[in-house]
PDB file of all heavy atoms in Angstrom:
ATOM      1  N   ASP A   1     -98.532 155.157   4.924  1.00 89.00           N
ATOM      2  CA  ASP A   1     -97.969 154.262   3.910  1.00 89.00           C
ATOM      3  C   ASP A   1     -99.046 153.308   3.449  1.00 89.00           C
ATOM      4  O   ASP A   1     -99.712 152.656   4.263  1.00 89.00           O
ATOM      5  CB  ASP A   1     -96.789 153.486   4.505  1.00 89.00           C
ATOM      6  CG  ASP A   1     -96.130 152.565   3.489  1.00 89.00           C
ATOM      7  OD1 ASP A   1     -96.094 152.922   2.296  1.00 89.00           O
ATOM      8  OD2 ASP A   1     -95.670 151.474   3.884  1.00 89.00           O
ATOM      9  N   ALA A   2     -99.236 153.220   2.134  1.00 82.00           N
ATOM     10  CA  ALA A   2    -100.207 152.291   1.532  1.00 82.00           C
ATOM     11  C   ALA A   2    -101.593 152.468   2.135  1.00 82.00           C
ATOM     12  O   ALA A   2    -102.317 151.495   2.367  1.00 82.00           O
ATOM     13  CB  ALA A   2     -99.731 150.854   1.700  1.00 82.00           C
ATOM     14  N   GLY A   3    -101.981 153.694   2.407  1.00 84.00           N
ATOM     15  CA  GLY A   3    -103.322 153.972   2.907  1.00 84.00           C
ATOM     16  C   GLY A   3    -103.498 153.788   4.390  1.00 84.00           C
ATOM     17  O   GLY A   3    -104.600 153.992   4.914  1.00 84.00           O
ATOM     18  N   ALA A   4    -102.450 153.377   5.118  1.00 92.00           N
ATOM     19  CA  ALA A   4    -102.541 153.155   6.564  1.00 92.00           C
ATOM     20  C   ALA A   4    -101.784 154.244   7.311  1.00 92.00           C
ATOM     21  O   ALA A   4    -100.753 154.738   6.842  1.00 92.00           O
ATOM     22  CB  ALA A   4    -101.983 151.780   6.925  1.00 92.00           C
ATOM     23  N   LEU A   5    -102.289 154.604   8.484  1.00 94.00           N
ATOM     24  CA  LEU A   5    -101.632 155.548   9.376  1.00 94.00           C
ATOM     25  C   LEU A   5    -100.995 154.761  10.511  1.00 94.00           C
ATOM     26  O   LEU A   5    -101.686 154.080  11.273  1.00 94.00           O
ATOM     27  CB  LEU A   5    -102.650 156.546   9.931  1.00 94.00           C
ATOM     28  CG  LEU A   5    -102.139 157.556  10.962  1.00 94.00           C
ATOM     29  CD1 LEU A   5    -101.113 158.483  10.323  1.00 94.00           C
ATOM     30  CD2 LEU A   5    -103.293 158.361  11.551  1.00 94.00           C
ATOM     31  N   LYS A   6     -99.667 154.841  10.631  1.00 95.00           N
ATOM     32  CA  LYS A   6     -98.945 154.042  11.613  1.00 95.00           C
ATOM     33  C   LYS A   6     -98.306 154.938  12.671  1.00 95.00           C
ATOM     34  O   LYS A   6     -97.825 156.027  12.370  1.00 95.00           O
ATOM     35  CB  LYS A   6     -97.857 153.209  10.923  1.00 95.00           C
ATOM     36  CG  LYS A   6     -98.387 152.284   9.832  1.00 95.00           C
ATOM     37  CD  LYS A   6     -97.249 151.590   9.102  1.00 95.00           C
ATOM     38  CE  LYS A   6     -97.777 150.721   7.961  1.00 95.00           C
ATOM     39  NZ  LYS A   6     -96.672 150.062   7.210  1.00 95.00           N
ATOM     40  N   PHE A   7     -98.295 154.437  13.938  1.00 92.00           N
ATOM     41  CA  PHE A   7     -97.617 155.122  15.033  1.00 92.00           C
ATOM     42  C   PHE A   7     -96.308 154.396  15.283  1.00 92.00           C
ATOM     43  O   PHE A   7     -96.302 153.201  15.560  1.00 92.00           O
ATOM     44  CB  PHE A   7     -98.447 155.098  16.318  1.00 92.00           C
ATOM     45  CG  PHE A   7     -99.936 155.249  16.103  1.00 92.00           C
ATOM     46  CD1 PHE A   7    -100.819 154.316  16.621  1.00 92.00           C
ATOM     47  CD2 PHE A   7    -100.443 156.309  15.381  1.00 92.00           C
ATOM     48  CE1 PHE A   7    -102.183 154.440  16.429  1.00 92.00           C
ATOM     49  CE2 PHE A   7    -101.798 156.448  15.189  1.00 92.00           C
ATOM     50  CZ  PHE A   7    -102.685 155.510  15.708  1.00 92.00           C
ATOM     51  N   GLU A   8     -95.217 155.117  15.210  1.00 92.00           N
ATOM     52  CA  GLU A   8     -93.908 154.493  15.392  1.00 92.00           C
ATOM     53  C   GLU A   8     -93.129 155.245  16.467  1.00 92.00           C
ATOM     54  O   GLU A   8     -92.879 156.445  16.352  1.00 92.00           O
ATOM     55  CB  GLU A   8     -93.129 154.502  14.070  1.00 92.00           C
ATOM     56  CG  GLU A   8     -93.830 153.719  12.960  1.00 92.00           C
ATOM     57  CD  GLU A   8     -93.084 153.779  11.635  1.00 92.00           C
ATOM     58  OE1 GLU A   8     -92.197 154.648  11.499  1.00 92.00           O
ATOM     59  OE2 GLU A   8     -93.381 152.964  10.753  1.00 92.00           O
ATOM     60  N   GLY A   9     -92.774 154.533  17.530  1.00 92.00           N
ATOM     61  CA  GLY A   9     -91.966 155.120  18.601  1.00 92.00           C
ATOM     62  C   GLY A   9     -92.629 156.264  19.319  1.00 92.00           C
ATOM     63  O   GLY A   9     -91.946 157.167  19.824  1.00 92.00           O
ATOM     64  N   VAL A  10     -93.954 156.250  19.403  1.00 95.00           N
ATOM     65  CA  VAL A  10     -94.666 157.341  20.074  1.00 95.00           C
ATOM     66  C   VAL A  10     -94.617 157.122  21.590  1.00 95.00           C
ATOM     67  O   VAL A  10     -94.964 156.047  22.088  1.00 95.00           O
ATOM     68  CB  VAL A  10     -96.127 157.422  19.595  1.00 95.00           C
ATOM     69  CG1 VAL A  10     -96.874 158.517  20.346  1.00 95.00           C
ATOM     70  CG2 VAL A  10     -96.178 157.694  18.094  1.00 95.00           C
ATOM     71  N   ARG A  11     -94.180 158.117  22.317  1.00 95.00           N
ATOM     72  CA  ARG A  11     -94.068 158.028  23.768  1.00 95.00           C
ATOM     73  C   ARG A  11     -94.495 159.346  24.389  1.00 95.00           C
ATOM     74  O   ARG A  11     -94.504 160.404  23.741  1.00 95.00           O
ATOM     75  CB  ARG A  11     -92.627 157.724  24.191  1.00 95.00           C
ATOM     76  CG  ARG A  11     -91.630 158.811  23.790  1.00 95.00           C
ATOM     77  CD  ARG A  11     -90.339 158.749  24.573  1.00 95.00           C
ATOM     78  NE  ARG A  11     -90.561 158.882  25.997  1.00 95.00           N
ATOM     79  CZ  ARG A  11     -90.766 160.043  26.622  1.00 95.00           C
ATOM     80  NH1 ARG A  11     -90.780 161.183  25.918  1.00 95.00           N
ATOM     81  NH2 ARG A  11     -90.950 160.084  27.914  1.00 95.00           N
ATOM     82  N   ALA A  12     -94.870 159.282  25.688  1.00 94.00           N
ATOM     83  CA  ALA A  12     -95.256 160.481  26.420  1.00 94.00           C
ATOM     84  C   ALA A  12     -94.987 160.273  27.897  1.00 94.00           C
ATOM     85  O   ALA A  12     -95.204 159.170  28.434  1.00 94.00           O
ATOM     86  CB  ALA A  12     -96.733 160.790  26.195  1.00 94.00           C
ATOM     87  N   GLY A  13     -94.520 161.317  28.556  1.00 93.00           N
ATOM     88  CA  GLY A  13     -94.374 161.282  29.997  1.00 93.00           C
ATOM     89  C   GLY A  13     -95.693 161.622  30.662  1.00 93.00           C
ATOM     90  O   GLY A  13     -96.409 162.520  30.222  1.00 93.00           O
ATOM     91  N   LEU A  14     -96.046 160.874  31.741  1.00 88.00           N
ATOM     92  CA  LEU A  14     -97.315 161.061  32.423  1.00 88.00           C
ATOM     93  C   LEU A  14     -97.144 161.592  33.842  1.00 88.00           C
ATOM     94  O   LEU A  14     -98.070 161.569  34.641  1.00 88.00           O
ATOM     95  CB  LEU A  14     -98.096 159.734  32.449  1.00 88.00           C
ATOM     96  CG  LEU A  14     -98.369 159.103  31.082  1.00 88.00           C
ATOM     97  CD1 LEU A  14     -99.128 157.794  31.242  1.00 88.00           C
ATOM     98  CD2 LEU A  14     -99.135 160.058  30.179  1.00 88.00           C
ATOM     99  N   GLY A  15     -95.944 162.056  34.171  1.00 82.00           N
ATOM    100  CA  GLY A  15     -95.700 162.640  35.485  1.00 82.00           C
ATOM    101  C   GLY A  15     -95.217 161.642  36.499  1.00 82.00           C
ATOM    102  O   GLY A  15     -95.549 160.446  36.445  1.00 82.00           O
ATOM    103  N   ASN A  16     -94.393 162.111  37.440  1.00 81.00           N
ATOM    104  CA  ASN A  16     -93.883 161.274  38.537  1.00 81.00           C
ATOM    105  C   ASN A  16     -93.191 160.014  38.029  1.00 81.00           C
ATOM    106  O   ASN A  16     -93.351 158.930  38.582  1.00 81.00           O
ATOM    107  CB  ASN A  16     -95.022 160.894  39.496  1.00 81.00           C
ATOM    108  CG  ASN A  16     -95.630 162.102  40.187  1.00 81.00           C
ATOM    109  OD1 ASN A  16     -94.914 163.021  40.582  1.00 81.00           O
ATOM    110  ND2 ASN A  16     -96.950 162.108  40.310  1.00 81.00           N
ATOM    111  N   GLY A  17     -92.438 160.161  36.954  1.00 85.00           N
ATOM    112  CA  GLY A  17     -91.674 159.038  36.438  1.00 85.00           C
ATOM    113  C   GLY A  17     -92.452 158.069  35.584  1.00 85.00           C
ATOM    114  O   GLY A  17     -91.905 157.072  35.100  1.00 85.00           O
ATOM    115  N   SER A  18     -93.740 158.318  35.356  1.00 91.00           N
ATOM    116  CA  SER A  18     -94.560 157.418  34.545  1.00 91.00           C
ATOM    117  C   SER A  18     -94.379 157.731  33.062  1.00 91.00           C
ATOM    118  O   SER A  18     -94.184 158.887  32.678  1.00 91.00           O
ATOM    119  CB  SER A  18     -96.034 157.553  34.920  1.00 91.00           C
ATOM    120  OG  SER A  18     -96.844 156.726  34.124  1.00 91.00           O
ATOM    121  N   GLU A  19     -94.453 156.705  32.234  1.00 93.00           N
ATOM    122  CA  GLU A  19     -94.267 156.878  30.794  1.00 93.00           C
ATOM    123  C   GLU A  19     -95.186 155.927  30.040  1.00 93.00           C
ATOM    124  O   GLU A  19     -95.444 154.806  30.490  1.00 93.00           O
ATOM    125  CB  GLU A  19     -92.815 156.602  30.409  1.00 93.00           C
ATOM    126  CG  GLU A  19     -92.519 156.843  28.936  1.00 93.00           C
ATOM    127  CD  GLU A  19     -91.069 156.577  28.583  1.00 93.00           C
ATOM    128  OE1 GLU A  19     -90.641 155.409  28.709  1.00 93.00           O
ATOM    129  OE2 GLU A  19     -90.374 157.525  28.186  1.00 93.00           O
ATOM    130  N   ALA A  20     -95.691 156.395  28.893  1.00 93.00           N
ATOM    131  CA  ALA A  20     -96.530 155.570  28.018  1.00 93.00           C
ATOM    132  C   ALA A  20     -95.877 155.473  26.648  1.00 93.00           C
ATOM    133  O   ALA A  20     -95.319 156.448  26.145  1.00 93.00           O
ATOM    134  CB  ALA A  20     -97.924 156.176  27.888  1.00 93.00           C
ATOM    135  N   LYS A  21     -95.943 154.269  26.072  1.00 95.00           N
ATOM    136  CA  LYS A  21     -95.444 154.037  24.719  1.00 95.00           C
ATOM    137  C   LYS A  21     -96.536 153.327  23.925  1.00 95.00           C
ATOM    138  O   LYS A  21     -97.207 152.432  24.433  1.00 95.00           O
ATOM    139  CB  LYS A  21     -94.182 153.186  24.739  1.00 95.00           C
ATOM    140  CG  LYS A  21     -92.991 153.835  25.434  1.00 95.00           C
ATOM    141  CD  LYS A  21     -91.773 152.926  25.402  1.00 95.00           C
ATOM    142  CE  LYS A  21     -90.572 153.580  26.087  1.00 95.00           C
ATOM    143  NZ  LYS A  21     -89.385 152.693  26.074  1.00 95.00           N
ATOM    144  N   ILE A  22     -96.689 153.748  22.657  1.00 94.00           N
ATOM    145  CA  ILE A  22     -97.702 153.133  21.805  1.00 94.00           C
ATOM    146  C   ILE A  22     -97.135 152.908  20.418  1.00 94.00           C
ATOM    147  O   ILE A  22     -96.379 153.734  19.893  1.00 94.00           O
ATOM    148  CB  ILE A  22     -98.984 154.003  21.744  1.00 94.00           C
ATOM    149  CG1 ILE A  22    -100.093 153.273  20.986  1.00 94.00           C
ATOM    150  CG2 ILE A  22     -98.709 155.361  21.129  1.00 94.00           C
ATOM    151  CD1 ILE A  22    -101.445 153.945  21.083  1.00 94.00           C
ATOM    152  N   SER A  23     -97.495 151.773  19.838  1.00 95.00           N
ATOM    153  CA  SER A  23     -97.128 151.456  18.457  1.00 95.00           C
ATOM    154  C   SER A  23     -98.313 150.742  17.819  1.00 95.00           C
ATOM    155  O   SER A  23     -99.097 150.079  18.500  1.00 95.00           O
ATOM    156  CB  SER A  23     -95.880 150.566  18.412  1.00 95.00           C
ATOM    157  OG  SER A  23     -96.124 149.334  19.079  1.00 95.00           O
ATOM    158  N   GLY A  24     -98.454 150.904  16.523  1.00 95.00           N
ATOM    159  CA  GLY A  24     -99.586 150.287  15.828  1.00 95.00           C
ATOM    160  C   GLY A  24    -100.043 151.182  14.703  1.00 95.00           C
ATOM    161  O   GLY A  24     -99.236 151.897  14.096  1.00 95.00           O
ATOM    162  N   GLY A  25    -101.342 151.168  14.447  1.00 94.00           N
ATOM    163  CA  GLY A  25    -101.831 152.010  13.373  1.00 94.00           C
ATOM    164  C   GLY A  25    -103.313 151.885  13.120  1.00 94.00           C
ATOM    165  O   GLY A  25    -104.023 151.093  13.755  1.00 94.00           O
ATOM    166  N   VAL A  26    -103.776 152.694  12.162  1.00 95.00           N
ATOM    167  CA  VAL A  26    -105.174 152.722  11.747  1.00 95.00           C
ATOM    168  C   VAL A  26    -105.224 152.427  10.248  1.00 95.00           C
ATOM    169  O   VAL A  26    -104.511 153.051   9.457  1.00 95.00           O
ATOM    170  CB  VAL A  26    -105.821 154.099  12.033  1.00 95.00           C
ATOM    171  CG1 VAL A  26    -107.258 154.132  11.526  1.00 95.00           C
ATOM    172  CG2 VAL A  26    -105.768 154.409  13.521  1.00 95.00           C
ATOM    173  N   THR A  27    -106.046 151.459   9.871  1.00 94.00           N
ATOM    174  CA  THR A  27    -106.248 151.133   8.461  1.00 94.00           C
ATOM    175  C   THR A  27    -107.651 151.551   8.043  1.00 94.00           C
ATOM    176  O   THR A  27    -108.521 151.798   8.884  1.00 94.00           O
ATOM    177  CB  THR A  27    -106.053 149.634   8.211  1.00 94.00           C
ATOM    178  OG1 THR A  27    -106.950 148.886   9.050  1.00 94.00           O
ATOM    179  CG2 THR A  27    -104.616 149.224   8.527  1.00 94.00           C
ATOM    180  N   PHE A  28    -107.865 151.597   6.742  1.00 94.00           N
ATOM    181  CA  PHE A  28    -109.162 152.016   6.211  1.00 94.00           C
ATOM    182  C   PHE A  28    -109.595 151.039   5.128  1.00 94.00           C
ATOM    183  O   PHE A  28    -108.872 150.796   4.165  1.00 94.00           O
ATOM    184  CB  PHE A  28    -109.075 153.434   5.626  1.00 94.00           C
ATOM    185  CG  PHE A  28    -110.406 153.993   5.188  1.00 94.00           C
ATOM    186  CD1 PHE A  28    -111.198 154.688   6.076  1.00 94.00           C
ATOM    187  CD2 PHE A  28    -110.855 153.823   3.883  1.00 94.00           C
ATOM    188  CE1 PHE A  28    -112.421 155.210   5.683  1.00 94.00           C
ATOM    189  CE2 PHE A  28    -112.069 154.334   3.481  1.00 94.00           C
ATOM    190  CZ  PHE A  28    -112.859 155.036   4.386  1.00 94.00           C
ATOM    191  N   ASP A  29    -110.797 150.456   5.295  1.00 92.00           N
ATOM    192  CA  ASP A  29    -111.379 149.528   4.329  1.00 92.00           C
ATOM    193  C   ASP A  29    -112.653 150.154   3.781  1.00 92.00           C
ATOM    194  O   ASP A  29    -113.674 150.242   4.481  1.00 92.00           O
ATOM    195  CB  ASP A  29    -111.682 148.189   4.999  1.00 92.00           C
ATOM    196  CG  ASP A  29    -112.263 147.161   4.019  1.00 92.00           C
ATOM    197  OD1 ASP A  29    -112.464 147.505   2.830  1.00 92.00           O
ATOM    198  OD2 ASP A  29    -112.512 146.020   4.449  1.00 92.00           O
TER     199      ASP A  29
END
C-alpha cells in the first residue's frame, strides 16, 4: 500500500509450543 510492504498478523510455530509473531513493514525512499 502506497509503496510500502506491510506484515499483518504474520505468525509461525517454532516447535515445542513456541510461537513467533511479527508486524511492521518495509518502506522505500
Side-chain angles (χ1 to χ4, degrees):
D1 182 34
L5 176 65
K6 303 175 183 178
F7 322 126
E8 299 178 345
V10 177
R11 62 161 301 280
L14 303 179
N16 297 320
S18 178
E19 184 179 64
K21 296 180 179 179
I22 187 170
S23 61
V26 177
T27 57
F28 186 89
D29 181 358

